[in-house]
Amino acid sequence: MTLVAVLLIMAAVRVWNHRGPARAQPYTGPLAAALLVAVSGRVPPLTGWGYALGAAGAMTAGYGIVLLVPAGRRALAARSYDHPVRKALIGVPLSTVVFEEVAFRGVLWALIADGHGVVWATAITAVLFGIWHLPDRGEVAFTTLAGVLLSLLRAASGGIIAPFVLHWTANGLGILASAWVRRSGRADSGDTDKS
């Protein structure tokens, strides 16, 4: 019954994310995450700081490499964000990452792992995470793989800090890198075939 309640809350949040006012989203994420914890009785462990630092370092290095490649800079420049610093540092963690990590790698993952083990918890939450992103971009395969990686990080680290940090840096650094490329005009620099 708890699992059904958690899934219903998650579905309600997803509908609200698409139908509710954008200005409410930074409040919705943390409040809905707290509701999931209260309803499930599962407090996600805030452990895995070493893994979190490693994840942040790997993501930063990854974006550094992407910025060295003209095709990577062009891909980053293709997206534009209003108020990128505010979005990366406030909007992404509060509107997106807090809720998704508590929901998928905190509460839901723990409920499934307790009943069916880590493999099932990883598989089910990864598929649901992929489906969760379907209305936005249709990138179900990519976000499912991301869900697998985040769940494996959850299992290895023993908590949700490492997946939270990886998720935040992946999204937040992407926004900041995009803004830097667009502002600096370096999307095509270093490319020999300019048109």
Side-chain angles (χ1 to χ4, degrees):
M1 204 60 181
T2 301
L3 183 58
V4 172
V6 165
L7 291 172
L8 288 173
I9 291 168
M10 291 172 67
V13 168
R14 193 62 178 149
V15 170
W16 175 254
N17 285 346
H18 286 282
R19 305 280 185 214
R23 67 182 176 277
Q25 302 311 320
Y27 305 102
T28 300
L31 291 173
L35 177 61
L36 283 178
V37 169
V39 165
S40 69
R42 304 295 179 124
V43 177
L46 302 178
T47 57
W49 289 96
Y51 283 92
L53 290 172
M59 190 55 62
T60 302
Y63 274 113
I65 292 167
V66 168
L67 288 170
L68 293 174
V69 179
R73 291 192 299 273
R74 283 193 300 274
L76 286 170
R79 305 258 340 234
S80 177
Y81 301 92
D82 293 333
H83 311 289
V85 173
R86 185 173 66 202
K87 183 167 183 65
L89 300 181
I90 299 171
V92 167
L94 295 180
S95 298
T96 304
V97 179
V98 167
F99 178 76
E100 290 181 4
E101 290 310 317
V102 169
F104 288 100
R105 263 67 64 182
V107 171
L108 190 58
W109 191 91
L111 287 171
I112 297 169
D114 284 352
H116 303 285
V118 170
V119 172
W120 278 106
T122 298
I124 292 170
T125 58
V127 168
L128 291 176
F129 189 65
I131 292 169
W132 179 266
H133 291 84
L134 181 63
D136 288 341
R137 291 168 245 135
E139 298 174 356
V140 176
F142 175 77
T143 52
T144 299
L145 289 174
V148 170
L149 176 62
L150 292 166
S151 291
L152 291 174
L153 197 52
R154 160 63 168 99
S157 68
I160 65 165
I161 293 298
F164 176 91
V165 168
L166 180 60
H167 194 164
W168 185 9
T169 55
N171 292 5
L173 287 179
I175 291 168
L176 294 175
S178 173
W180 180 80
V181 170
R182 291 175 69 84
R183 179 169 288 200
S184 69
R186 297 191 49 152
D188 289 320
S189 67
D191 193 357
T192 57
D193 184 24
K194 297 178 184 174
S195 49

